[in-house]
Amino acid sequence: MPQWRKLHAKVVESLDVNDMPDDLTRLLWVLLPTQLCCLGRGIDNPAWLRARVFPLRLDVTLDMIDDAMHWFARRGMILRYSVGGRPYFQVSN
């Protein structure tokens, strides 16, 4: 996993980011790349995501993570797939 990721300054102008339903979804989107492999892939499991992205946030529920991931998938921001019966996702943009 890379130690450094850059956030483009134009993220504040992104229609996708501004259309997100809540600030948790926005924060997950911004922090997600810090936990993905160099190809932008991760395990599509809310418990894994919460443990990796929000390890100290007791107020973030698995349902909140799952809702955000469904939102990303509906907007085409992530691609969900499985390999050997295990769920994964890849950031598509």
Side-chain angles (χ1 to χ4, degrees):
M1 174 181 13
Q3 290 188 337
W4 298 96
R5 297 285 184 162
K6 292 182 180 182
L7 182 62
H8 199 286
K10 289 195 175 214
V11 72
V12 297
E13 299 173 8
S14 166
L15 295 178
D16 286 324
V17 171
N18 284 287
D19 285 346
M20 288 179 184
D22 53 51
D23 287 337
L24 180 100
T25 305
R26 286 182 197 88
L27 185 58
L28 177 59
W29 182 251
V30 169
L31 294 177
L32 198 57
T34 66
Q35 301 305 313
L36 304 180
C37 75
C38 61
L39 298 174
R41 297 178 181 155
I43 300 170
D44 195 359
N45 179 303
W48 181 83
L49 285 166
R50 185 179 68 178
R52 300 297 304 240
V53 179
F54 299 111
L56 301 177
R57 295 283 306 269
L58 300 177
D59 60 323
V60 175
T61 67
L62 297 181
D63 286 338
M64 293 164 81
I65 300 289
D66 197 42
D67 289 347
M69 292 299 286
H70 281 297
W71 195 91
F72 299 150
R74 283 192 307 271
R75 292 293 288 247
M77 298 170 77
I78 62 169
L79 171 66
R80 291 177 140 170
Y81 63 96
S82 64
V83 175
R86 294 186 180 194
Y88 298 94
F89 70 92
Q90 180 171 359
V91 174
S92 50
N93 60 2

